[in-house]
Amino acid sequence: MTIDEFTDEYYMNEAIKEAIKAEVLAEVPIGAIVVLDGKIISRAHNLRESKQSAVAHAEILAIEHACQQVGSWRLENASLYVTLEPCAMCSGAIILSRIKRVVYGAADPKGGCAGTFMNLLQDERFNHQSEVTSGVLEEECGQLLSDFFRQLREKRKAARKQSLQ
């Protein structure tokens, strides 16, 4: 497969692989990759629980690593692929790093800032806007999250039941 043949689905599958790494660590399964000139230059997954850091979101970690890879805080021609719609914090980092395009899988109606709850990425009041493509492998990305939270609720319910015995 040549660089030109890679599709949004191909790259989103790579982000899903990162999300699965997070899930193995008992982290919310969110993964992100940064692509520049058809090449993946950065990969990351959610590490909030592992690092006990509110800012250890997959997007932030992927952006930070991508900036290190290119030696600049500007990622003007890069695309970010992420399994869940970016939150306000991550959208801010996307704007500040000048990422050209954001592609996400599952929408986040409670906190998504790429068009669902609000749209920071295309707000013309900022000095940079990103092109947004939503719903790429949406079902697969959403299922990862649904399964994770269902299992978490089941574990908590079982733990409560055990403590009452």
Side-chain angles (χ1 to χ4, degrees):
M1 186 177 273
T2 66
I3 288 172
D4 294 334
E5 293 177 70
F6 291 153
T7 62
D8 285 345
E9 289 79 11
Y10 171 83
Y11 291 121
M12 188 59 71
N13 272 312
E14 293 298 309
I16 288 171
K17 289 177 187 176
E18 288 299 312
I20 292 167
K21 290 177 186 177
E23 185 174 29
V24 168
L25 299 172
E27 295 277 358
V28 177
I30 301 168
I33 64 166
V34 177
V35 176
L36 183 63
D37 299 326
K39 296 180 187 129
I40 298 171
I41 63 166
S42 179
R43 300 170 172 272
H45 49 274
N46 207 31
L47 289 173
R48 276 195 327 183
E49 297 298 328
S50 300
K51 292 182 176 260
Q52 287 300 297
S53 171
V55 297
H57 288 204
E59 300 97 318
I60 299 287
L61 298 171
I63 289 168
E64 183 175 31
H65 185 252
C67 289
Q68 292 167 355
Q69 291 296 107
V70 301
S72 174
W73 61 268
R74 289 181 178 94
L75 299 171
E76 291 168 330
N77 293 310
S79 295
L80 173 78
Y81 289 80
V82 61
T83 56
L84 180 65
E85 181 179 2
C87 68
M89 175 182 67
C90 293
S91 294
I94 290 163
I95 292 165
L96 292 173
S97 63
R98 311 290 197 268
I99 288 177
K100 182 178 184 175
R101 183 169 182 245
V102 175
V103 181
Y104 70 85
D108 183 358
K110 293 182 180 178
C113 291
T116 302
F117 181 70
M118 66 174 62
N119 192 351
L120 294 178
L121 295 180
Q122 296 180 317
D123 191 319
E124 293 181 1
R125 294 174 292 179
F126 291 116
N127 64 341
H128 176 78
Q129 293 81 41
S130 296
E131 177 186 332
V132 176
T133 302
S134 61
V136 175
L137 299 182
E138 181 174 17
E139 189 173 319
E140 293 89 333
C141 293
Q143 195 63 53
L144 274 172
L145 291 159
S146 296
D147 291 348
F148 175 81
F149 286 114
R150 182 179 32 70
Q151 291 170 4
L152 188 61
R153 285 189 301 273
E154 288 170 1
K155 285 179 188 174
R156 286 182 179 158
K157 185 178 178 181
R160 275 194 305 273
K161 190 175 183 180
Q162 185 75 9
S163 70
L164 295 174
Q165 292 178 353

